[in-house]
């Protein structure tokens, strides 16, 4: 079974600075999908960014980008120009490739990000 | 286009009572997933349903928990004879199709507290 590990329970960053959240995963599959979700105090789960494992190019969404290292099974999230509204719990998630139980998301335990003004 | 809707947002039950959690998927979405988030934990998959069918309930406790997604109306997650350990946030997600890069859109969750 796949596992997702977020080794940083909490992180903090100054407003306007850059922060990187770590995520590693364990899988024997070669094709899969990775996601970062954000859970603000409202507790709503919001998709931040997603990556297909077969794509070497790192995904980018505005101020959010990932560093996907397939061999190392690492999928870190970089937030540039941090804003107060970025303060939230961030979850890394894994989903298998097509076929089998590829609809299940497996989540890490999350990293609580604090943004200091 | 309204997002995934869940109600109630907060539910308090006493031990032994029943809890019914409702989820209305986004318009056009026929795939529904339920996840549970225990305190200080990430979300864990419980069950995946399509209209009138349970596709995978491997993450759901064998006893007291059931789920349905009828042809008409919302998906229901039902917990009978609740115990304190059932206290958690229950999230519903929906998607147009399953798998691949298809995004699962999450509702705001129902926070269940068992006294």
């Amino acid at each position: 079974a796949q596992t997702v590990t977020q080794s940083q329970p909490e992180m903090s960053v100054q407003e306007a600075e850059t922060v990187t959240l770590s995520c590693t995963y364990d899988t024997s599959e070669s094709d899969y999908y990775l996601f970062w979700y954000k859970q603000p105090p409202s507790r709503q789960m919001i998709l931040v960014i997603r990556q297909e494992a077969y794509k070497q190019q790192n995904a980018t969404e505005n101020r959010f980008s990932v560093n996907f290292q397939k061999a190392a099974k690492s999928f870190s999230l970089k937030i540039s120009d941090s804003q107060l509204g970025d303060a939230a719990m961030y979850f890394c998630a894994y989903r298998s490739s097509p076929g089998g139980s590829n609809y299940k998301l497996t989540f890490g335990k999350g990293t609580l990000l604090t943004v200091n003004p | 286009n309204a997002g995934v809707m869940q109600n109630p947002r907060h539910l308090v039950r006493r031990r032994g009572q029943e809890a019914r959690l409702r989820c209305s998927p986004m318009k056009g979405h026929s795939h529904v997933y339920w996840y549970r988030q225990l305190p200080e934990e990430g979300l864990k998959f419980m069950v995946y349903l399509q209209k009138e069918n349970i596709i995978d309930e491997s993450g759901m406790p064998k006893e007291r928990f059931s789920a349905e997604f009828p042809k008409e109306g919302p998906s229901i997650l039902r917990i009978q004879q609740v115990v304190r350990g059932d206290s958690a946030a229950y999230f519903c997600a929906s998607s147009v199709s399953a798998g691949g890069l298809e995004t699962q859109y999450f509702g705001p969750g129902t926070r269940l507290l068992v006294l």
Side-chain angles (χ1 to χ4, degrees), chain A residues 9-28:
Chain A
E10 296 183 26
M11 291 281 285
S12 64
V13 63
Q14 289 297 126
E15 197 175 2
E17 294 190 346
T18 295
V19 64
T20 298
L21 308 184
S22 300
C23 172
T24 58
Y25 55 93
D26 186 25
T27 184
S28 58

Side-chain angles (χ1 to χ4, degrees), chain A residues 33-35 37 39 42-47 50-52 55 89 91 95-98 101-110, chain B residues 4 9 33 35 37 40-45 48 55-56 58-59 89 91 98-109 111:
Chain A
Y33 306 91
L34 297 163
F35 305 82
Y37 278 87
Q39 188 180 47
S42 67
R43 305 296 294 273
Q44 176 89 43
M45 292 288 287
I46 302 165
L47 178 66
R50 55 191 184 183
Q51 174 85 38
E52 296 152 278
K55 286 189 175 179
M89 183 73 86
F91 291 98
R95 191 162 76 203
S96 295
S97 60
S101 303
N102 65 323
Y103 39 79
K104 292 183 190 178
L105 286 166
T106 300
F107 287 88
K109 289 191 175 184
Chain B
V4 178
R9 295 291 302 276
Y33 318 82
Y35 292 82
Q37 185 180 29
E40 312 299 325
E41 298 282 329
L43 281 69
K44 290 200 173 7
F45 170 83
Y48 161 42
I55 307 302
D56 183 350
S58 61
F91 288 90
L101 209 54
E102 186 63 45
T103 296
Q104 292 182 15
Y105 293 89
F106 282 81
R111 278 134 197 95

Side-chain angles (χ1 to χ4, degrees), chain A residues 53-110:
Chain A
Y54 65 84
K55 286 189 175 179
Q56 292 188 337
Q57 187 173 5
N58 289 323
T60 300
E61 289 286 343
N62 300 314
R63 298 182 296 107
F64 298 87
S65 61
V66 299
N67 182 7
F68 174 48
Q69 301 290 327
K70 191 172 184 179
K73 297 180 182 175
S74 171
F75 183 61
S76 60
L77 174 69
K78 185 171 87 171
I79 306 174
S80 304
D81 186 25
S82 297
Q83 300 176 359
L84 295 176
D86 295 333
M89 183 73 86
Y90 286 81
F91 291 98
C92 179
Y94 173 104
R95 191 162 76 203
S96 295
S97 60
S101 303
N102 65 323
Y103 39 79
K104 292 183 190 178
L105 286 166
T106 300
F107 287 88
K109 289 191 175 184

